[in-house]
Amino acid sequence: MQARELMVAPLTVSPDASVRELAETLLREGSEGACVVERGALVGVVTSMDLVFREKRVHLPSVLSIMDFTIPLEPPGRLQRELDKIAGTEVRQIMSASPVVVGPDAGSDAVASAMVDKHITILPVVEDGRLLGMITKPSLLRATFAR
């Protein structure tokens, strides 16, 4: 099967939508995530995990201290990115801005591999920069097992 057969109509939100509006939309639609669209173009993906992330404890950076030297053991900027995401009030502040996408001709094996390997909840299907649909875990399962 190809991505065009696995996809469902995309649930879309604006990057300017509030986090509360996003939560209400995901709950109302029973969806794990949405495609973030601005002026007709896909600009990101946001999932329920992005909302759950806001409730997590802040991870303080690990450091190694040797004599008078302090060596950070984590990538620079990680703490700031976490704080920004936790404090975000708009979708643009919590979304993944560089989503993994597939074309409509991608095979189900490529779709499944991308979703598993990259821990993806929803996978936008894009052709020539235009959002055609999205593949969700339930849509993939339905297409695979409900034949």
Side-chain angles (χ1 to χ4, degrees), residues 11 16 27 39 42 53 68 75 86 95 100 117 130 141:
L11 177 60
D16 298 323
L27 289 169
R39 291 187 290 277
L42 178 71
F53 185 92
D68 289 338
I86 289 169
M95 71 181 190
V100 174
D117 295 344
R130 190 171 53 101
L141 290 173

Side-chain angles (χ1 to χ4, degrees), residues 6-146:
L6 305 171
M7 69 183 189
V8 294
L11 177 60
T12 61
V13 295
S14 164
D16 298 323
S18 73
V19 169
R20 177 168 291 288
E21 290 171 315
L22 170 64
E24 290 169 354
T25 299
L26 293 181
L27 289 169
R28 182 179 62 249
E29 299 296 326
S31 180
E32 284 287 315
C35 297
V36 184
V37 175
E38 186 171 44
R39 291 187 290 277
L42 178 71
V43 295
V45 168
V46 65
T47 68
S48 56
M49 190 55 72
D50 293 316
L51 294 171
V52 170
F53 185 92
R54 296 169 44 83
E55 300 301 319
K56 78 183 245 0
R57 278 193 310 266
V58 175
H59 172 77
L60 297 177
S62 300
V63 294
L64 176 62
S65 295
I66 301 174
M67 299 202 304
D68 289 338
F69 296 101
T70 301
I71 303 167
L73 299 177
E74 298 186 22
R78 178 179 173 189
L79 177 61
Q80 187 60 52
R81 285 190 302 275
E82 280 193 14
L83 291 173
D84 290 346
K85 192 167 188 167
I86 289 169
T89 59
E90 294 181 340
V91 168
R92 78 173 66 255
Q93 296 167 314
I94 68 168
M95 71 181 190
S96 298
S98 299
V100 174
V101 301
V102 293
D105 297 325
S108 58
D109 58 338
V111 168
S113 295
M115 291 180 87
V116 170
D117 295 344
K118 296 179 173 44
H119 305 285
I120 295 173
T121 301
I122 63 168
L123 186 60
V125 180
V126 176
E127 184 174 48
D128 299 325
R130 190 171 53 101
L131 178 64
L132 301 177
M134 67 184 198
I135 299 171
T136 63
K137 291 181 283 186
S139 71
L140 181 58
L141 290 173
R142 268 192 301 278
T144 304
F145 294 103

